[in-house]
Amino acid sequence: MAISSAVDPSVLHERREQRLILMLLAPALLVVIGLLIVPLCWLAWQSFRQDGGFTLAHYARFVSDDVYWRTFLQTFRIAFVVTVATLLLAYPVAYVAASASRRMSILILAMVILPFWTSVLVRSYAWLILLQRRGLVNSALDGMGLIDQPLILVNNELGTVIATTHILLPFMVLPLYAAMQKIPADLMMAGSSLGGSPAHVFWRVFLPLSLPGVLAGTVLVFVLALGFYITPELLGGGRTYMVSMLVSRNIELYSEWGAASSISVVLLLCVFGIFRLASMIIPFERIMGAR
Amino acid sequence: MSQSTHAEKVGVSIRSATKMYGAFCALDHVDLEVKAGEFVSILGPSGSGKTTFLGILGGFVQPTSGAILLGERDITLEPPHKRDIGIVFQNYALFPHMNVAENVTFPLRARRIPKSGWPAKLKAALEMVELTGYGNRKIHELSGGQRQRVALARAMIFEPRLILMDEPLSALDKQLRESMQIELKHLHRKLDATIIYVTHDQREALTMSDRIAVMRKGQIVQIDTPEQLHDNPVDSFVAGFIGEATLVPVQRVDEHSVTLAGTRLVSSKPVPNTIHLFLVVQSEKITVAADGDTSGPNLLTGIVHETLYQGESIRIFLDLPGGERISVRVPSNHTGRTLMKHPGDRITVRLHPDDTVVVPQAS
């Protein structure tokens, strides 16, 4: 039985291919392991350490210290409001971009993406200037006689929400556009020929088919908003306290690495939880736009 | 879906419908009268204006001028959802997020028909297309033919006054397409509905239609019954598009005869009085004369170029003395096989004066 000892050439070929794929992936894998997985493990490890020993004290603070859970509450509230605001603003934009001519949709998408290439810091400062007491927005409203005294648009939660909404808008528009573009135009034509008014066709056909994009954009914006730092720091005026700021205070002011780590770990778990929930509705690859 | 509900079936008149896209004329003063209960096909190559025509009927394209009447009602300016026209789209356009029953009842929901009436209508519609019991199936679980039937059921359930079909069978394989053609024909009889059917497949149009409108460059060149269209095409375009025809240039001799490479051919139909004339040689209308049989009129002699055995028939390509190549089809039965020749053989063929059709060159 000399034949049975020989390895099937197709198996050999398959092994060679697997080795090649592994080699191609190796640099990226090393970077991810070295710069992401290892530090994350270190972070988790830190959150259970104090004075060289094991402790649960950092996590106990989530129950005992009301600043902690209030910060989480405010962060989730801001993230929620920002997500709803971006969805309401982005849906019509994506709709127009998806139904317009190719040239027009490129123009619209370019306008959405262009600010994206400017630093978040610059955009946050820009909003600070626009929204301040004697800023462009207040003087315009005053000039039109719509207000008697300047509105307080900045140094509070409102300012944070406005600027964050603007900065995160592309993350909502793009997945929505991608989902809407895949909806065949003849479905809308079929819907109306079968007697559906434009509103009925939108409600029964277009909206349900755009939901994967809605979910993708919602998850992306919500998760990004949860970890937002520069914008609330600049526009919150100290009154808006988000989780990322809690982390930075613990390190900058108190050098409390353990506390900062535990907050990061809890936030990370929240994000994992959100992705898990979302992926129960649509697969993860689709949220990230792979399919 | 009882007969009584279709008592109000109506005809369609398209009056001088024109559509300009800038300087390009996609539809050029098209007139068409479709009688109530008639099955009319719009036949033409791609770019002939079929799609624009369908768009104007469905309400997706606004005509530049002209009018569309459904019965007595002018629907030229009506939006699609108020037209009461059931459309079967080329790629079915089924809603992927709904199951079969939800797709089929979409028109009922859109028209706010009370839900109590749905089950009976749904049952009748699914029965009509032989999909009873498929209500809960997802669209992606269905085969192409089944999707086609769902699209049909959906377009019929609200008893539209007119059904438009846009190449509904083009995505199916040949065998299924042929059986669906017959089914559609039966369905048309059963429903007694007015149907306008758009296609580029002449065989499909010939099989199903009461009348066929042949389109070219945004105009209807000829509208006739399948037989008329096949036997009496108005010009070389229609003749070349219908059947398996070879067009051979001929010279007019008089009212009833022409010459082809020196041979005089007699036609029982009047020969048009223009310079550029073509003889329409439908390959199945030529008969091969037995060796030595030279009786009767319209005999042509040529050299066999190639013979193709095609199962049910044998196709012979014959080179005429003038250099034109025509195609002759003989049945592959015993008689046919004895007539089958080899390349280089000389054979004589006969064209009956009734089948000798001469057309002018299309403008």
Side-chain angles (χ1 to χ4, degrees), chain B residues 49-60 87 164-166 198:
Chain B
K50 287 177 308 191
T51 313
T52 310
F53 186 71
L54 192 90
I56 281 180
L57 280 174
F60 308 115
I87 305 182
L164 291 184
M165 299 191 186
D166 182 13
V198 173

Side-chain angles (χ1 to χ4, degrees), chain B residues 38-162:
Chain B
E38 201 178 13
F39 192 128
V40 171
S41 286
I42 311 293
L43 176 67
S46 58
S48 59
K50 287 177 308 191
T51 313
T52 310
F53 186 71
L54 192 90
I56 281 180
L57 280 174
F60 308 115
V61 176
Q62 272 301 312
T64 312
S65 63
I68 293 106
L69 276 80
L70 204 54
E72 295 295 303
R73 197 174 108 214
D74 187 338
I75 57 162
T76 317
L77 300 175
E78 294 262 30
H81 66 279
K82 292 194 178 147
R83 291 199 172 195
D84 240 2
I85 298 176
I87 305 182
V88 180
F89 289 85
Q90 194 165 7
N91 300 309
Y92 321 134
L94 297 177
F95 306 124
H97 58 299
M98 301 180 191
N99 65 22
V100 170
E102 286 163 341
N103 262 285
V104 175
T105 53
F106 181 92
L108 305 182
R109 187 189 289 277
R111 275 152 222 278
R112 300 179 197 287
I113 288 167
K115 275 199 178 173
S116 56
W118 293 14
K121 282 178 189 284
L122 176 63
K123 188 167 170 285
L126 289 181
E127 232 162 57
M128 182 74 80
V129 296
E130 289 166 22
L131 280 179
T132 306
Y134 279 72
N136 291 322
R137 296 284 184 96
K138 294 268 192 306
I139 298 306
H140 65 82
E141 296 169 352
L142 302 179
S143 69
Q146 290 168 335
R147 286 176 201 205
Q148 185 51 63
R149 287 159 205 262
V150 176
L152 271 171
R154 189 179 66 170
M156 296 181 321
I157 194 169
F158 61 102
E159 290 144 21
R161 296 185 290 173
L162 168 67

Side-chain angles (χ1 to χ4, degrees), chain A residues 89-207:
Chain A
L89 289 172
Y91 202 95
V93 174
Y95 180 86
V96 173
S99 48
S101 66
R102 192 167 167 68
R103 185 186 283 259
M104 194 65 191
S105 70
I106 288 173
L107 190 73
I108 294 169
L109 291 178
M111 290 199 295
V112 170
I113 297 170
L114 220 55
F116 199 47
W117 292 339
T118 323
S119 115
V120 177
L121 194 64
V122 171
R123 276 182 287 165
S124 300
Y125 270 118
W127 275 111
L128 198 61
I129 292 161
L130 287 173
L131 296 176
Q132 66 192 341
R133 239 179 112 72
R134 294 184 201 289
L136 196 64
V137 174
N138 267 321
S139 21
L141 289 175
D142 190 35
M144 287 188 278
L146 291 172
I147 51 168
D148 294 330
Q149 8 178 301
L151 299 172
I152 303 156
L153 297 171
V154 87
N155 294 330
N156 56 11
E157 210 174 290
L158 183 63
T160 306
V161 167
I162 292 173
T164 310
T165 298
H166 170 242
I167 288 163
L168 292 181
L169 204 57
F171 293 97
M172 188 62 93
V173 174
L174 296 178
L176 280 177
Y177 172 77
M180 289 175 183
Q181 216 200 9
K182 283 186 208 143
I183 303 175
D186 60 353
L187 291 188
M188 307 301 117
M189 278 160 68
S192 58
S193 78
L194 295 167
S197 63
H200 186 91
V201 174
F202 175 79
W203 196 249
R204 291 273 165 196
V205 181
F206 192 86
L207 187 68

Side-chain angles (χ1 to χ4, degrees), chain B residues 1 29 86 139 166 169 175 184 243 266 301 360:
Chain B
M1 218 155 278
H29 296 90
I139 298 306
D166 182 13
L169 306 181
Q175 219 153 20
L184 274 179
V266 186
T301 305

Side-chain angles (χ1 to χ4, degrees), chain A residues 203-218:
Chain A
W203 196 249
R204 291 273 165 196
V205 181
F206 192 86
L207 187 68
L209 291 175
S210 70
L211 281 183
V214 171
L215 189 66
T218 301

